Amino acid sequence: MSTTQSYFQGVNWCLVYWNPSNTVSTSRHSLFKPLIISLLAALAMMAVWFTLSAGADDALCWFALVAAADIALLERWMRSRDQRSPAWIAPVLTLLCCLASLWLITALNVSYATGFGLHTSAGGMGFGLFGNLLAMRLQPLDWSLLAASPVLALVLAKTGISGRRQSP
């Protein structure tokens, strides 16, 4: 028998492959799943918001509240039993969804006005032009709806234990 074989035979393989549920990978998994679910919900809400606003030729800032509710509740309902998620996920992704949607809506309006394509307008529009166009277009009610959306996402997510009911 060679020394390599005797070395491998002396290892307790059950302990090598044993991974308890409270190791480091659990904290990474508890962040990964809610983050991916919320990111997918935010991308879906961006697509719907952009499509609706392109058809209505308006920014539709009330849709920020719908996006906040969708992102927060989907993340909350998809949690497994007794799982916790960080408090920042739903509000931050709601805010990013609002900014990205408004960027695309503003770029679409710039492309209508200049005759350039949407890709060129979205890529060439700077933060200064974006801010100026939003300031000209949005009313105080629109700004208040946009500001309320991350707060609504935080309230609906409740960032605690899953909202699923336990069966008796």
Side-chain angles (χ1 to χ4, degrees):
M1 201 184 292
S2 71
T3 57
T4 307
Q5 287 176 344
S6 64
Y7 175 74
F8 284 122
Q9 289 174 354
V11 173
N12 187 349
W13 290 105
C14 294
L15 290 178
V16 171
Y17 290 111
W18 181 64
N19 188 10
S21 62
N22 58 359
T23 60
V24 176
S25 64
T26 302
S27 64
R28 183 177 51 189
H29 178 68
S30 67
L31 177 65
F32 181 74
K33 182 180 176 186
L35 189 60
I36 291 298
I37 289 169
S38 297
L39 182 64
L40 291 175
L43 289 173
M45 286 293 104
M46 282 174 43
V48 172
W49 190 353
F50 177 72
T51 304
L52 288 175
S53 68
D57 197 28
D58 191 19
L60 302 179
C61 289
W62 57 267
F63 201 80
L65 298 176
V66 175
D70 182 70
I71 293 167
L73 292 177
L74 185 62
E75 188 273 326
R76 182 177 176 203
W77 289 334
M78 294 303 293
R79 289 183 206 153
S80 59
R81 198 179 274 174
D82 299 329
Q83 180 184 3
R84 295 185 179 272
S85 62
W88 57 268
I89 290 178
V92 167
L93 285 176
T94 298
L95 184 64
L96 290 175
C97 174
C98 291
L99 287 174
S101 296
L102 289 173
W103 186 278
L104 289 173
I105 292 165
T106 305
L108 182 65
N109 291 331
V110 169
S111 71
Y112 287 160
T114 61
F116 295 121
L118 177 62
H119 184 270
T120 306
S121 298
M125 183 175 56
F127 292 112
L129 179 62
F130 174 65
N132 289 336
L133 291 174
L134 281 183
M136 288 189 302
R137 182 174 192 167
L138 299 182
Q139 302 299 320
L141 178 63
D142 296 330
W143 289 109
S144 62
L145 291 172
L146 291 171
S149 63
V151 176
L152 178 65
L154 182 64
V155 168
L156 290 178
K158 291 189 181 175
T159 66
I161 297 174
S162 172
R164 290 184 184 179
R165 297 210 181 260
Q166 312 252 343
S167 59

